[in-house]
Amino acid sequence: MSWFQRKAKGINTPTELKREAPDGLWHQCSECKQVMHTREHKNNAYTCLHCNYHDKIGSEAYFKILFDEGEYQELDAEMRSADPLEFVDTKAYPERIVTTEKKSGLKDAVRTAHGNMHGKKITISCMDFGFIGGSMGSVVGEKIARGMNHALKTKTPFLMISKSGGARMMEAGYSLMQMAKTSAKIAQLDEAKVPYISLMTDPTTGGVTASFAMLGDFNISEPGALIGFAGPRIIKETIGKDLPKGFQTAEFVQDHGFLDFIVDRKDLKDKLASLLNMIKK
């Protein structure tokens, strides 16, 4: 005999009384397609519980992960891009900036902040791919340079988190000048014996890779990140050969000597703190 018997058939629940799961309650991994609770995904540093795929996240998420209690002070928060070339493609550059600001909630493709990480002061600049593909314009270069100035002034380690498609075409030569500006600041950090750690995340490409992203005292990356200068299609067409399996992944780049180590995002804060403690010793 069953525990439950339906006494009446044809029972229907009115549509207005039906309860549905709220939007955003579940997260589906874009790699393995497994589903997990959004809260679990967030608590796991936005990595998949099943396959460890590292989802792309922005500066706010990184700051919450790395700074103690998620507390920090942002530098140059209101700095915005100008339009020195009066550039127009499908729309005018200033119009594109305004549209992207409204969509992303950001002022440009990088944010810089300082605070404590495991009780030790640190300055961090983090790029946001959601702002015109994390492209490097004059504001990006200036904010990174000012962040390095803050690290020099306070003698605090500087962490650069890169996530970029490369130079911003709307600023042409002004964008390319940021490669030299940031590289010069890194030389000043080196002279002052201020540690500079470069963390490359997915993707780190173009002029960013060709400048500050590869100039760290330690160059590290998250698992599976795309790291390179030109894209695989361009390289293949240039050399006329098939590229090796896994070309330009963090693991491939590390095997060929361009990365010191790869670190899981869940372990990032502890690994960085341990590394900085070893440097000071």
Side-chain angles (χ1 to χ4, degrees):
M1 182 177 178
S2 63
W3 285 95
F4 173 79
Q5 274 189 320
R6 184 185 290 274
K7 292 184 177 180
K9 294 184 179 181
I11 297 176
N12 295 313
T13 303
T15 302
E16 62 271 15
L17 296 180
K18 290 182 179 179
R19 296 182 179 273
E20 296 182 356
D23 290 340
L25 187 61
W26 301 100
H27 172 82
Q28 184 178 41
C29 175
S30 57
E31 183 70 17
C32 70
K33 308 306 179 186
Q34 293 288 325
V35 175
M36 68 207 81
H37 200 285
T38 300
R39 189 188 303 112
E40 290 180 313
H41 183 243
K42 180 180 178 180
N43 291 339
N44 207 43
Y46 303 94
T47 64
C48 180
L49 299 170
H50 307 282
C51 69
N52 201 40
Y53 175 74
H54 282 51
D55 266 303
K56 294 180 177 65
I57 59 174
S59 56
E60 185 63 23
Y62 276 111
F63 289 165
K64 294 293 185 183
I65 290 170
L66 293 174
F67 287 118
D68 293 344
E69 312 301 330
E71 295 179 357
Y72 58 87
Q73 287 184 294
E74 188 171 354
L75 302 173
D76 306 301
E78 298 301 318
M79 190 180 293
R80 288 178 168 87
S81 293
D83 185 23
L85 303 178
E86 298 180 356
F87 189 94
V88 179
D89 47 17
T90 55
K91 62 174 68 174
Y93 183 37
E95 183 182 347
R96 187 178 298 280
I97 290 291
V98 171
T99 301
T100 307
E101 284 181 353
K102 291 179 180 178
K103 183 178 179 180
S104 66
L106 301 165
K107 298 296 189 297
D108 215 287
V110 72
R111 292 172 68 208
T112 302
H114 63 91
N116 291 331
M117 185 177 70
H118 280 320
K120 305 292 184 181
K121 294 186 181 300
I122 188 169
T123 306
I124 303 175
S125 281
C126 182
M127 303 189 77
D128 282 285
F129 198 78
F131 196 97
I132 314 183
S135 53
M136 177 179 61
S138 53
V139 166
V140 169
E142 181 64 18
K143 289 182 76 169
I144 292 172
R146 291 190 184 192
M148 291 177 179
N149 280 338
H150 180 269
L152 284 165
K153 182 179 178 180
T154 58
K155 298 295 182 183
T156 56
F158 186 82
L159 171 65
M160 182 69 229
I161 304 176
S162 298
K163 187 189 298 287
S164 175
R168 188 173 300 175
M169 69 175 186
M170 299 84 162
E171 296 187 27
Y174 288 94
S175 175
L176 298 179
M177 288 166 62
Q178 309 313 309
M179 297 170 66
K181 177 194 288 186
T182 52
S183 298
K185 284 296 174 186
I186 292 169
Q188 291 180 11
L189 291 174
D190 182 56
E191 290 174 6
K193 301 291 190 278
V194 173
Y196 169 51
I197 299 173
S198 174
L199 170 64
M200 286 163 263
T201 67
D202 185 42
T204 300
T205 59
V208 169
T209 307
S211 55
F212 56 83
M214 280 290 184
L215 293 177
D217 295 317
F218 291 91
N219 293 330
I220 65 178
S221 174
E222 292 181 341
L226 172 68
I227 302 170
F229 180 61
R233 180 179 59 82
I234 300 298
I235 296 173
K236 183 177 179 179
E237 289 178 356
T238 301
I239 65 176
K241 295 181 180 180
D242 289 329
L243 301 173
K245 185 179 180 180
F247 180 67
Q248 291 187 329
T249 61
E251 291 73 15
F252 184 93
V253 174
Q254 183 187 31
D255 288 343
H256 289 76
F258 290 95
L259 284 179
D260 293 296
F261 59 88
I262 296 171
V263 59
D264 193 294
R265 190 183 295 154
K266 297 184 291 295
D267 304 322
L268 180 59
K269 184 175 181 178
D270 291 338
K271 287 288 182 69
L272 287 172
S274 297
L275 180 61
L276 291 172
N277 284 333
M278 286 190 290
I279 292 173
K280 288 184 179 180
K281 292 178 181 178

